[in-house]
Amino acid sequence: IIKKKKKKKKKKKTPRHYFSIIKLILKKNTKQKNGGFSMDNFTTNNYEMKRDIINFSKKISEGTSKPESKFVMDMIYGISKSKDILLSSIAGALDEKTKKAYTIDRLSDNLSNDLSSSIDEKYCNLAMDYLGENPIFLIDDSDIIKPLGEKFEDLGIVRDGSSRNKSYEKGYHHTEIVGLTQNKKQPISLFSKIHSSTQKEFVSANDITFEGIDKIVNLLEKRKQKGIFVNDRGYDNNLIFNHYFEKKQYFVVRLKENRKVYCNHKWYKITTIRDSHKGKIKMNLLFQGEEKECSVSVIKVQITAKKKWINLVLVYGLGETPMMLASNIQIKSKEDVIKTARCYLDRWRIEEYFKFKKQEYNFENFRVRTLKSINNLNKMLTYAIGLVAMLSEKIGKRKFVNKIIKESKSLKTNVYLWFYQIARGIYNILSKVRCGIREWQNIRKTKEYEGQLSLL
Protein backbone atom coordinates (compact mmCIF):
# COMPACT_ATOMS: atom_id res chain seq x y z
CA ILE A 1 0.00 0.00 0.00
CA ILE A 2 1.46 3.23 -1.13
CA LYS A 3 0.54 6.11 1.10
CA LYS A 4 -0.19 9.33 -0.67
CA LYS A 5 1.61 12.34 0.67
CA LYS A 6 -0.67 14.99 2.06
CA LYS A 7 -0.36 18.30 0.37
CA LYS A 8 0.58 21.15 2.64
CA LYS A 9 -1.97 23.94 2.78
CA LYS A 10 -0.60 27.15 1.42
CA LYS A 11 -1.12 30.32 3.36
CA LYS A 12 -3.50 32.70 1.70
CA LYS A 13 -1.87 35.88 0.58
CA THR A 14 -3.64 39.17 0.83
CA PRO A 15 -4.61 40.40 -2.61
CA ARG A 16 -2.70 43.37 -3.91
CA HIS A 17 -5.82 45.50 -4.36
CA TYR A 18 -6.27 45.51 -0.58
CA PHE A 19 -3.09 47.55 -0.20
CA SER A 20 -4.23 50.01 -2.84
CA ILE A 21 -7.53 50.51 -0.93
CA ILE A 22 -5.61 51.18 2.31
CA LYS A 23 -3.45 53.76 0.54
CA LEU A 24 -6.54 55.55 -0.76
CA ILE A 25 -8.05 55.66 2.73
CA LEU A 26 -4.84 57.08 4.17
CA LYS A 27 -4.70 59.73 1.46
CA LYS A 28 -8.27 60.83 2.20
CA ASN A 29 -7.61 61.06 5.94
CA THR A 30 -4.48 63.20 5.56
CA LYS A 31 -4.20 66.86 4.74
CA GLN A 32 -0.99 68.61 3.78
CA LYS A 33 -0.23 71.66 5.92
CA ASN A 34 2.96 73.74 5.68
CA GLY A 35 4.98 70.94 4.13
CA GLY A 36 3.90 68.35 6.69
CA PHE A 37 0.93 66.00 7.17
CA SER A 38 -1.72 65.98 9.91
CA MET A 39 -4.19 63.12 10.20
CA ASP A 40 -7.81 63.66 11.22
CA ASN A 41 -7.95 61.00 13.90
CA PHE A 42 -11.51 60.37 15.01
CA THR A 43 -10.37 58.42 18.07
CA THR A 44 -8.82 61.59 19.53
CA ASN A 45 -12.13 63.45 19.35
CA ASN A 46 -13.93 60.43 20.81
CA TYR A 47 -11.47 60.24 23.68
CA GLU A 48 -11.70 63.95 24.51
CA MET A 49 -15.50 63.91 24.32
CA LYS A 50 -15.75 60.90 26.62
CA ARG A 51 -13.26 62.46 29.01
CA ASP A 52 -15.26 65.71 29.25
CA ILE A 53 -18.52 63.87 29.96
CA ILE A 54 -16.93 61.57 32.54
CA ASN A 55 -15.03 64.35 34.33
CA PHE A 56 -18.21 66.44 34.48
CA SER A 57 -20.27 63.55 35.88
CA LYS A 58 -17.56 62.76 38.45
CA LYS A 59 -17.55 66.36 39.67
CA ILE A 60 -21.28 66.47 40.34
CA SER A 61 -21.52 62.94 41.78
CA GLU A 62 -18.44 63.12 43.99
CA GLY A 63 -19.05 61.70 47.45
CA THR A 64 -22.03 59.55 46.45
CA SER A 65 -22.14 55.76 46.33
CA LYS A 66 -20.56 53.91 43.40
CA PRO A 67 -23.87 52.66 41.96
CA GLU A 68 -25.32 56.18 42.04
CA SER A 69 -22.26 57.83 40.50
CA LYS A 70 -22.21 55.14 37.80
CA PHE A 71 -25.90 55.76 37.12
CA VAL A 72 -25.35 59.53 36.71
CA MET A 73 -22.43 58.89 34.37
CA ASP A 74 -24.43 56.40 32.31
CA MET A 75 -27.40 58.75 31.97
CA ILE A 76 -25.40 61.83 30.95
CA TYR A 77 -23.34 59.85 28.45
CA GLY A 78 -26.35 57.94 27.09
CA ILE A 79 -28.45 61.11 26.63
CA SER A 80 -25.54 62.93 24.96
CA LYS A 81 -24.77 60.06 22.59
CA SER A 82 -28.34 59.10 21.65
CA LYS A 83 -29.74 62.66 21.84
CA ASP A 84 -32.88 61.11 23.26
CA ILE A 85 -34.47 60.51 26.68
CA LEU A 86 -36.00 57.09 25.93
CA LEU A 87 -34.42 54.48 28.20
CA SER A 88 -34.14 52.08 25.26
CA SER A 89 -32.10 54.65 23.32
CA ILE A 90 -29.89 55.40 26.34
CA ALA A 91 -29.32 51.66 26.92
CA GLY A 92 -28.38 51.24 23.26
CA ALA A 93 -25.89 54.10 23.51
CA LEU A 94 -24.19 52.49 26.55
CA ASP A 95 -23.45 49.39 24.44
CA GLU A 96 -23.04 47.03 27.41
CA LYS A 97 -22.37 43.32 27.08
CA THR A 98 -25.49 42.39 29.03
CA LYS A 99 -28.93 42.22 27.49
CA LYS A 100 -30.48 45.52 26.59
CA ALA A 101 -33.58 44.70 28.67
CA TYR A 102 -31.42 44.28 31.78
CA THR A 103 -29.82 47.70 31.22
CA ILE A 104 -33.25 49.32 30.81
CA ASP A 105 -34.46 47.71 34.04
CA ARG A 106 -31.39 48.93 35.90
CA LEU A 107 -31.84 52.51 34.69
CA SER A 108 -35.56 52.40 35.47
CA ASP A 109 -34.94 51.17 39.01
CA ASN A 110 -32.45 53.98 39.67
CA LEU A 111 -34.87 56.61 38.34
CA SER A 112 -37.53 55.44 40.79
CA ASN A 113 -35.19 55.97 43.78
CA ASP A 114 -34.41 59.22 45.59
CA LEU A 115 -31.21 60.80 44.27
CA SER A 116 -28.68 62.36 46.63
CA SER A 117 -29.23 66.08 47.13
CA SER A 118 -25.48 66.65 46.92
CA ILE A 119 -25.57 65.92 43.17
CA ASP A 120 -27.84 68.85 42.46
CA GLU A 121 -25.95 71.11 44.88
CA LYS A 122 -22.61 70.44 43.20
CA TYR A 123 -24.11 70.90 39.75
CA CYS A 124 -25.64 74.27 40.74
CA ASN A 125 -22.36 75.46 42.29
CA LEU A 126 -20.53 74.45 39.13
CA ALA A 127 -23.11 76.25 36.97
CA MET A 128 -22.90 79.40 39.11
CA ASP A 129 -19.19 79.65 38.28
CA TYR A 130 -20.13 80.38 34.66
CA LEU A 131 -22.39 83.31 35.64
CA GLY A 132 -20.91 86.74 36.24
CA GLU A 133 -21.57 89.31 38.95
CA ASN A 134 -25.24 90.25 39.36
CA PRO A 135 -26.32 87.29 37.18
CA ILE A 136 -29.58 87.34 35.24
CA PHE A 137 -32.14 84.59 35.94
CA LEU A 138 -35.08 83.93 33.63
CA ILE A 139 -38.26 82.35 35.03
CA ASP A 140 -41.00 80.83 32.91
CA ASP A 141 -43.52 78.00 32.75
CA SER A 142 -44.08 75.52 29.97
CA ASP A 143 -46.26 72.48 29.35
CA ILE A 144 -45.65 68.82 28.65
CA ILE A 145 -48.42 67.32 26.56
CA LYS A 146 -49.34 63.62 26.83
CA PRO A 147 -52.69 63.47 24.96
CA LEU A 148 -52.72 59.66 24.70
CA GLY A 149 -51.34 59.00 28.18
CA GLU A 150 -53.43 56.93 30.57
CA LYS A 151 -51.03 55.27 33.02
CA PHE A 152 -49.00 58.35 34.00
CA GLU A 153 -49.19 59.39 37.64
CA ASP A 154 -51.33 62.44 38.48
CA LEU A 155 -51.83 63.38 34.85
CA GLY A 156 -53.62 66.75 34.78
CA ILE A 157 -55.09 69.13 32.21
CA VAL A 158 -52.84 71.88 30.81
CA ARG A 159 -53.06 74.44 28.06
CA ASP A 160 -51.15 73.43 24.94
CA GLY A 161 -49.09 76.53 24.13
CA SER A 162 -47.78 75.11 20.84
CA SER A 163 -51.25 74.55 19.34
CA ARG A 164 -52.92 77.23 17.25
CA ASN A 165 -56.21 77.08 19.13
CA LYS A 166 -54.49 77.00 22.56
CA SER A 167 -56.55 73.94 23.39
CA TYR A 168 -56.43 72.04 26.67
CA GLU A 169 -54.84 68.58 26.74
CA LYS A 170 -53.67 66.01 29.24
CA GLY A 171 -50.21 66.75 30.55
CA TYR A 172 -47.99 68.36 33.20
CA HIS A 173 -46.82 71.85 34.14
CA HIS A 174 -43.12 72.58 33.85
CA THR A 175 -41.42 75.39 35.82
CA GLU A 176 -37.89 76.37 34.83
CA ILE A 177 -35.34 78.93 36.06
CA VAL A 178 -32.22 79.43 33.94
CA GLY A 179 -29.24 81.72 34.37
CA LEU A 180 -27.41 83.43 31.51
CA THR A 181 -23.69 82.72 31.17
CA GLN A 182 -21.32 85.65 31.46
CA ASN A 183 -19.87 85.87 27.94
CA LYS A 184 -22.11 84.06 25.45
CA LYS A 185 -25.43 84.64 27.29
CA GLN A 186 -26.37 80.97 27.01
CA PRO A 187 -29.17 79.65 29.29
CA ILE A 188 -28.07 77.15 31.93
CA SER A 189 -30.78 75.61 34.10
CA LEU A 190 -30.60 75.86 37.89
CA PHE A 191 -34.14 74.82 38.80
CA SER A 192 -36.48 72.56 36.86
CA LYS A 193 -39.57 70.86 38.21
CA ILE A 194 -42.47 69.01 36.61
CA HIS A 195 -45.69 69.15 38.62
CA SER A 196 -49.42 68.63 38.31
CA SER A 197 -52.42 70.33 39.89
CA THR A 198 -53.91 66.90 40.67
CA GLN A 199 -51.19 66.04 43.20
CA LYS A 200 -52.28 65.80 46.84
CA GLU A 201 -49.44 68.02 48.07
CA PHE A 202 -49.95 70.63 45.32
CA VAL A 203 -50.91 74.09 46.64
CA SER A 204 -50.35 76.56 43.80
CA ALA A 205 -48.02 77.37 40.94
CA ASN A 206 -46.67 80.31 42.96
CA ASP A 207 -45.34 77.92 45.62
CA ILE A 208 -43.30 76.09 42.96
CA THR A 209 -41.95 79.44 41.73
CA PHE A 210 -41.07 80.52 45.28
CA GLU A 211 -39.28 77.19 45.80
CA GLY A 212 -37.07 77.87 42.78
CA ILE A 213 -36.42 81.51 43.75
CA ASP A 214 -35.47 80.52 47.31
CA LYS A 215 -33.06 77.90 45.98
CA ILE A 216 -31.24 80.46 43.82
CA VAL A 217 -31.28 83.11 46.55
CA ASN A 218 -29.51 80.65 48.88
CA LEU A 219 -26.84 80.10 46.20
CA LEU A 220 -26.43 83.86 45.80
CA GLU A 221 -26.18 84.50 49.54
CA LYS A 222 -23.34 81.98 49.86
CA ARG A 223 -21.47 83.96 47.19
CA LYS A 224 -22.57 87.34 48.60
CA GLN A 225 -24.22 88.32 45.33
CA LYS A 226 -27.54 89.69 44.14
CA GLY A 227 -29.36 88.44 41.08
CA ILE A 228 -31.73 90.02 38.57
CA PHE A 229 -34.90 87.94 38.15
CA VAL A 230 -36.81 88.42 34.88
CA ASN A 231 -40.50 87.47 34.58
CA ASP A 232 -43.19 87.70 31.92
CA ARG A 233 -46.73 89.09 32.30
CA GLY A 234 -47.98 85.83 33.83
CA TYR A 235 -46.01 86.68 37.01
CA ASP A 236 -47.52 90.13 37.44
CA ASN A 237 -49.09 89.67 40.90
CA ASN A 238 -48.42 91.14 44.32
CA LEU A 239 -47.28 87.81 45.80
CA ILE A 240 -44.32 87.70 43.40
CA PHE A 241 -43.40 91.34 44.07
CA ASN A 242 -43.65 90.88 47.85
CA HIS A 243 -41.41 87.81 47.66
CA TYR A 244 -38.73 89.75 45.76
CA PHE A 245 -38.92 92.61 48.28
CA GLU A 246 -38.54 90.18 51.21
CA LYS A 247 -35.55 88.45 49.63
CA LYS A 248 -33.98 91.83 48.66
CA GLN A 249 -33.42 90.84 45.06
CA TYR A 250 -33.57 92.85 41.83
CA PHE A 251 -36.37 92.09 39.38
CA VAL A 252 -37.73 93.04 35.95
CA VAL A 253 -41.39 92.08 35.49
CA ARG A 254 -43.57 92.88 32.50
CA LEU A 255 -46.86 94.41 33.66
CA LYS A 256 -50.39 93.71 32.52
CA GLU A 257 -52.71 96.42 31.24
CA ASN A 258 -55.15 96.13 34.17
CA ARG A 259 -52.60 97.18 36.82
CA LYS A 260 -52.86 100.51 38.63
CA VAL A 261 -49.88 102.61 39.68
CA TYR A 262 -49.46 105.68 41.88
CA CYS A 263 -47.97 108.74 40.20
CA ASN A 264 -48.26 112.53 40.76
CA HIS A 265 -50.24 112.06 44.01
CA LYS A 266 -52.91 109.98 42.29
CA TRP A 267 -53.65 106.39 41.27
CA TYR A 268 -53.81 105.90 37.50
CA LYS A 269 -54.51 103.00 35.22
CA ILE A 270 -51.17 102.07 33.74
CA THR A 271 -52.39 102.39 30.14
CA THR A 272 -53.15 106.10 30.63
CA ILE A 273 -49.56 106.74 31.73
CA ARG A 274 -48.26 104.61 28.88
CA ASP A 275 -50.26 106.51 26.24
CA SER A 276 -49.40 109.94 27.66
CA HIS A 277 -45.62 109.52 27.31
CA LYS A 278 -43.18 109.08 24.47
CA GLY A 279 -39.78 107.48 24.38
CA LYS A 280 -36.98 109.96 25.09
CA ILE A 281 -33.97 107.63 24.90
CA LYS A 282 -33.33 106.04 21.51
CA MET A 283 -31.43 102.78 21.28
CA ASN A 284 -31.00 99.51 19.37
CA LEU A 285 -32.20 96.40 21.20
CA LEU A 286 -31.89 92.71 20.35
CA PHE A 287 -35.43 91.32 20.26
CA GLN A 288 -35.98 87.63 19.35
CA GLY A 289 -32.67 87.43 17.49
CA GLU A 290 -33.11 90.72 15.56
CA GLU A 291 -31.86 94.21 16.28
CA LYS A 292 -34.62 96.81 16.29
CA GLU A 293 -34.68 100.56 16.84
CA CYS A 294 -36.82 101.70 19.74
CA SER A 295 -37.21 104.46 22.30
CA VAL A 296 -37.46 104.19 26.08
CA SER A 297 -38.86 106.32 28.91
CA VAL A 298 -38.51 105.89 32.70
CA ILE A 299 -41.04 107.03 35.31
CA LYS A 300 -41.00 106.67 39.10
CA VAL A 301 -44.25 105.01 40.23
CA GLN A 302 -45.64 103.13 43.20
CA ILE A 303 -47.36 99.76 43.02
CA THR A 304 -49.88 98.17 45.37
CA ALA A 305 -47.37 95.54 46.57
CA LYS A 306 -46.16 97.00 49.90
CA LYS A 307 -46.61 100.42 48.26
CA LYS A 308 -42.95 100.68 47.33
CA TRP A 309 -41.52 102.97 44.67
CA ILE A 310 -40.14 101.32 41.56
CA ASN A 311 -39.12 102.29 38.03
CA LEU A 312 -41.66 101.96 35.23
CA VAL A 313 -39.73 101.43 31.98
CA LEU A 314 -41.78 102.02 28.82
CA VAL A 315 -40.34 100.60 25.58
CA TYR A 316 -41.80 101.96 22.32
CA GLY A 317 -41.26 100.57 18.84
CA LEU A 318 -41.00 96.82 19.41
CA GLY A 319 -44.67 96.01 18.83
CA GLU A 320 -48.09 97.47 18.31
CA THR A 321 -48.37 98.46 21.97
CA PRO A 322 -45.48 99.75 24.13
CA MET A 323 -43.90 97.35 26.57
CA MET A 324 -44.36 98.14 30.27
CA LEU A 325 -41.65 96.89 32.64
CA ALA A 326 -41.51 97.19 36.42
CA SER A 327 -38.05 97.09 37.99
CA ASN A 328 -36.31 97.99 41.24
CA ILE A 329 -32.88 98.27 39.59
CA GLN A 330 -31.31 101.62 40.35
CA ILE A 331 -31.35 103.84 37.26
CA LYS A 332 -28.92 106.75 37.33
CA SER A 333 -27.85 107.02 33.71
CA LYS A 334 -28.78 106.15 30.15
CA GLU A 335 -26.71 102.95 30.38
CA ASP A 336 -28.81 101.75 33.32
CA VAL A 337 -31.99 102.24 31.27
CA ILE A 338 -30.55 100.22 28.38
CA LYS A 339 -29.39 97.49 30.79
CA THR A 340 -32.85 97.17 32.35
CA ALA A 341 -34.59 96.95 28.97
CA ARG A 342 -32.09 94.38 27.68
CA CYS A 343 -32.54 92.24 30.79
CA TYR A 344 -36.15 91.63 29.84
CA LEU A 345 -35.51 91.24 26.11
CA ASP A 346 -33.10 88.41 26.92
CA ARG A 347 -36.14 86.50 28.18
CA TRP A 348 -36.68 84.91 24.75
CA ARG A 349 -33.66 82.70 25.48
CA ILE A 350 -35.64 80.61 27.97
CA GLU A 351 -38.29 80.04 25.31
CA GLU A 352 -35.53 78.82 23.00
CA TYR A 353 -34.34 76.60 25.85
CA PHE A 354 -37.76 74.92 26.08
CA LYS A 355 -37.84 74.53 22.31
CA PHE A 356 -34.34 73.01 22.24
CA LYS A 357 -35.18 70.63 25.07
CA LYS A 358 -38.27 69.29 23.31
CA GLN A 359 -36.93 69.17 19.75
CA GLU A 360 -33.34 67.97 20.10
CA TYR A 361 -33.91 65.51 22.96
CA ASN A 362 -37.55 64.66 22.29
CA PHE A 363 -38.38 65.41 25.91
CA GLU A 364 -42.17 65.07 25.67
CA ASN A 365 -41.75 61.47 24.53
CA PHE A 366 -40.67 60.01 27.88
CA ARG A 367 -42.20 56.67 28.92
CA VAL A 368 -41.53 56.54 32.66
CA ARG A 369 -44.81 56.81 34.55
CA THR A 370 -44.29 58.07 38.10
CA LEU A 371 -43.67 61.75 38.82
CA LYS A 372 -40.53 60.91 40.78
CA SER A 373 -39.07 59.06 37.80
CA ILE A 374 -40.13 61.85 35.43
CA ASN A 375 -38.43 64.51 37.59
CA ASN A 376 -35.27 62.40 37.98
CA LEU A 377 -35.14 61.91 34.21
CA ASN A 378 -35.62 65.66 33.81
CA LYS A 379 -32.68 66.24 36.17
CA MET A 380 -30.41 63.99 34.13
CA LEU A 381 -31.39 65.86 30.96
CA THR A 382 -30.77 69.17 32.77
CA TYR A 383 -27.24 68.03 33.65
CA ALA A 384 -26.56 66.94 30.05
CA ILE A 385 -27.77 70.30 28.68
CA GLY A 386 -25.81 72.06 31.42
CA LEU A 387 -22.64 70.46 30.04
CA VAL A 388 -23.60 71.79 26.58
CA ALA A 389 -23.96 75.30 28.04
CA MET A 390 -20.58 75.07 29.78
CA LEU A 391 -18.90 73.96 26.55
CA SER A 392 -20.54 76.77 24.58
CA GLU A 393 -19.02 79.29 27.00
CA LYS A 394 -15.55 78.09 25.89
CA ILE A 395 -16.06 78.81 22.18
CA GLY A 396 -12.97 80.52 20.83
CA LYS A 397 -11.00 79.63 23.97
CA ARG A 398 -10.63 75.87 23.57
CA LYS A 399 -9.74 74.07 20.35
CA PHE A 400 -11.82 70.98 21.07
CA VAL A 401 -15.03 73.03 21.39
CA ASN A 402 -14.33 74.48 17.96
CA LYS A 403 -13.92 70.91 16.69
CA ILE A 404 -17.34 70.04 18.13
CA ILE A 405 -18.93 72.92 16.22
CA LYS A 406 -17.10 71.82 13.07
CA GLU A 407 -18.43 68.27 13.48
CA SER A 408 -22.01 69.60 13.68
CA LYS A 409 -21.69 70.57 9.98
CA SER A 410 -24.05 73.51 10.44
CA LEU A 411 -24.60 76.19 7.84
CA LYS A 412 -24.45 79.26 10.09
CA THR A 413 -21.16 80.37 11.61
CA ASN A 414 -22.50 83.02 13.99
CA VAL A 415 -25.62 82.31 16.06
CA TYR A 416 -27.10 83.59 19.30
CA LEU A 417 -27.86 80.13 20.75
CA TRP A 418 -25.01 77.64 20.34
CA PHE A 419 -26.89 74.70 21.88
CA TYR A 420 -27.97 73.13 18.59
CA GLN A 421 -24.48 73.08 17.11
CA ILE A 422 -22.82 71.81 20.30
CA ALA A 423 -25.42 69.04 20.84
CA ARG A 424 -25.28 67.87 17.21
CA GLY A 425 -21.49 67.98 17.24
CA ILE A 426 -21.37 65.78 20.34
CA TYR A 427 -23.87 63.41 18.72
CA ASN A 428 -21.81 63.16 15.51
CA ILE A 429 -18.57 62.57 17.41
CA LEU A 430 -19.98 59.87 19.69
CA SER A 431 -21.79 58.15 16.80
CA LYS A 432 -18.36 56.90 15.66
CA VAL A 433 -17.66 55.29 19.05
CA ARG A 434 -17.70 51.48 18.99
CA CYS A 435 -17.77 50.86 22.73
CA GLY A 436 -19.38 52.42 25.79
CA ILE A 437 -17.82 53.87 28.92
CA ARG A 438 -17.65 50.74 31.04
CA GLU A 439 -13.85 50.70 30.78
CA TRP A 440 -13.73 54.22 32.24
CA GLN A 441 -15.73 53.25 35.31
CA ASN A 442 -14.17 51.83 38.46
CA ILE A 443 -16.23 48.66 38.69
CA ARG A 444 -15.14 45.91 41.05
CA LYS A 445 -14.45 42.66 39.24
CA THR A 446 -15.41 39.53 41.13
CA LYS A 447 -13.35 36.37 40.75
CA GLU A 448 -14.82 32.90 40.60
CA TYR A 449 -14.25 30.72 43.65
CA GLU A 450 -11.42 28.34 42.77
CA GLY A 451 -12.49 25.68 45.24
CA GLN A 452 -15.94 25.25 43.71
CA LEU A 453 -16.84 21.63 42.97
CA SER A 454 -17.84 20.77 39.44
CA LEU A 455 -19.37 17.58 38.02
CA LEU A 456 -17.50 16.24 35.01
Side-chain angles (χ1 to χ4, degrees), residues 260-263 267 300-304 307-310:
K260 290 184 178 182
V261 293
Y262 184 79
C263 182
W267 288 94
K300 279 280 184 181
V301 296
Q302 195 179 55
I303 57 175
T304 54
K307 294 184 179 180
K308 289 201 173 187
W309 291 91
I310 60 168

Side-chain angles (χ1 to χ4, degrees), residues 426-442:
I426 293 172
Y427 173 76
N428 291 337
I429 289 172
L430 295 179
S431 63
K432 302 179 180 70
V433 175
R434 295 183 179 179
C435 59
I437 55 170
R438 189 174 178 82
E439 296 177 356
W440 296 69
Q441 295 169 336
N442 187 15

Side-chain angles (χ1 to χ4, degrees), residues 192-208:
S192 183
K193 189 169 184 178
I194 297 167
H195 52 93
S196 174
S197 57
T198 59
Q199 291 177 262
K200 291 182 180 179
E201 62 272 14
F202 180 81
V203 179
S204 66
N206 285 333
D207 286 352
I208 306 295

Side-chain angles (χ1 to χ4, degrees), residues 218-234:
N218 291 333
L219 292 170
L220 291 169
E221 287 177 351
K222 290 178 182 178
R223 296 169 177 261
K224 297 180 180 179
Q225 292 179 334
K226 275 191 175 183
I228 302 172
F229 293 84
V230 181
N231 300 81
D232 199 12
R233 282 173 291 192

Side-chain angles (χ1 to χ4, degrees), residues 9 18 26 47 49 62-63 90 128 130-131 133-134 148 183 188 220 271 288 302 323 327 329 338 403 409 430 439 454:
K9 293 182 180 179
Y18 283 3
L26 290 173
Y47 175 82
M49 194 68 256
E62 186 180 0
I90 296 170
M128 290 290 290
Y130 289 83
L131 311 180
E133 295 181 359
N134 297 326
L148 302 178
N183 299 323
I188 182 168
L220 291 169
T271 51
Q288 294 181 351
Q302 195 179 55
M323 191 179 293
S327 176
I329 299 173
I338 297 171
K403 286 182 181 179
K409 299 177 182 179
L430 295 179
E439 296 177 356
S454 59

